[in-house]
Amino acid sequence: MDTDTDIEEGVRDQENRDYEQPLAAPLIEPMELAKWSFYRAIMAEFVATFLFLYITVLTIIGYKNRNDSDQCGGVGLLGIAWAFGGMIFVLVYNTSGISGGHLNPAVTFALLLARKVTVPRALMYILAQCSGATAGCCMVKALQKTYYMDHGGGANELTHGYNKAMGLGAEIIGTFILVYTVLSTTDPKRNARDSHVPVLAPLPIGFAVFMVHLATIPITGTGINPARSFGAAVIYNNKKIWADHWIFWTGPLIGAFGAEYYYEHILRAHLTLYRDHHHITHR
């Protein structure tokens, strides 16, 4: 790769477009720790992930309970996929202006790698997401303890008949699709060119979650979100769940890294190099 050529292309792109390429976020920004907006964003991530797990785990348990007595009843796997995708659409739309609407440690990790959030913000977001997910599952268990324990608590595990490599691969590819969609729909270049994109951004993200669930529910129950898997595992607390749990952190983080590298360093290499070069020369 010719770095100088890519930087020059990035400069030309900036000169010919009516948008400003955002500078890389610093790894640590002490000033943000003193701002109410920082803590408001953390609160938004906690509440959104709480609601996400509450609704989706209730949907899973309701489906399994109904399916025990009526094989043709309940929402089915299609309905579960819609519940996850639909809730992501709603919650990302509601929180994107406050916290960015991450709701997922894999998304936060990718945006940290892309230098779009600081390290303290990323760590606090992940803590809030995991805490919110745990609280959401705890609420479901408190309200429907018998059904919750009888039907697996919505926890992710490797389905019988699939080996760990297949489960890990499903999580990697599924998260790659999700994070690739997030990076694409939040691209400042696209937002500047198409004014409707910021409003519609939650829609393709929700659809990405929906489509991945259709493909991977039979394999792992679909994680692609370490907080979702962690919260359900903590509250259900089953030996088999914990034995498989590493898949639901390793897979999403690898998938997020791959999507970030592909989008930021291959598809947008000239803009990323220009951003970093501009940041260094103006320090």
Side-chain angles (χ1 to χ4, degrees):
M1 178 185 295
D2 188 337
T3 301
D4 291 338
T5 300
D6 279 335
I7 291 175
E8 291 173 2
E9 183 180 348
V11 172
R12 288 196 301 271
D13 188 274
Q14 288 291 294
E15 291 174 346
N16 296 331
R17 299 289 181 182
D18 56 351
Y19 75 97
E20 184 70 23
Q21 180 67 16
L23 295 179
L27 292 178
I28 298 177
E29 177 54 68
M31 292 297 295
E32 78 173 351
L33 301 178
K35 295 180 179 178
W36 164 241
S37 59
F38 177 74
Y39 300 98
R40 182 179 61 193
I42 294 169
M43 188 186 306
E45 288 291 308
F46 174 87
V47 172
T49 315
F50 169 86
L51 295 173
F52 177 55
L53 266 293
Y54 176 75
I55 294 297
T56 54
V57 170
L58 269 181
T59 303
I60 294 170
I61 292 172
Y63 160 68
K64 289 184 176 181
N65 183 55
R66 182 70 179 271
N67 199 48
D68 284 349
S69 57
D70 181 5
Q71 292 293 318
C72 297
V75 297
L77 294 182
L78 182 65
I80 293 174
W82 271 119
F84 277 88
M87 281 303 291
I88 287 295
F89 168 66
V90 170
L91 295 170
V92 170
Y93 182 84
N94 289 345
T95 61
S96 59
I98 301 169
S99 67
H102 295 197
L103 282 68
N104 185 335
V107 171
T108 301
F109 176 63
L111 294 176
L112 174 62
L113 293 177
R115 302 290 301 277
K116 296 184 179 181
V117 295
T118 63
V119 172
R121 183 177 290 268
L123 292 176
M124 291 304 297
Y125 273 21
I126 292 172
L127 178 61
Q129 291 155 4
C130 290
S131 300
T134 303
C137 292
C138 186
M139 178 65 76
V140 177
K141 183 178 180 180
L143 296 177
Q144 299 190 17
K145 184 174 182 178
T146 300
Y147 292 147
Y148 183 89
M149 298 307 296
D150 287 348
H151 299 296
N156 291 118
E157 64 178 318
L158 193 62
T159 303
H160 179 72
Y162 293 95
N163 61 42
K164 294 186 185 300
M166 296 171 71
L168 183 62
E171 290 297 308
I172 291 172
I173 296 172
T175 311
F176 182 98
I177 293 170
L178 169 60
V179 174
Y180 180 25
T181 304
V182 169
L183 293 172
S184 177
T185 55
T186 58
D187 190 328
K189 181 177 180 179
R190 169 173 287 183
N191 291 346
R193 184 178 62 231
D194 304 319
S195 59
H196 62 280
V197 167
V199 177
L200 297 180
L203 185 60
I205 295 171
F207 262 107
V209 171
F210 168 69
M211 296 304 296
V212 171
H213 273 75
L214 287 182
T216 61
I217 284 177
I219 304 172
T220 62
T222 309
I224 69 172
N225 182 337
R228 174 261 187 272
S229 302
F230 177 78
V234 167
I235 302 303
Y236 188 61
N237 197 25
N238 173 276
K239 185 176 180 180
K240 172 65 165 61
I241 300 299
W242 284 118
D244 293 339
H245 190 64
W246 67 272
I247 293 173
F248 302 102
W249 281 90
T250 307
L253 293 180
I254 293 174
F257 172 81
E260 188 278 335
Y261 187 86
Y262 173 65
Y263 194 79
E264 293 289 330
H265 301 281
I266 296 178
L267 298 185
R268 300 180 74 253
H270 64 293
L271 291 174
T272 301
L273 285 168
Y274 166 78
R275 179 199 67 188
D276 295 343
H277 174 75
H278 185 75
H279 180 72
I280 291 171
T281 57
H282 286 76
R283 289 177 64 178

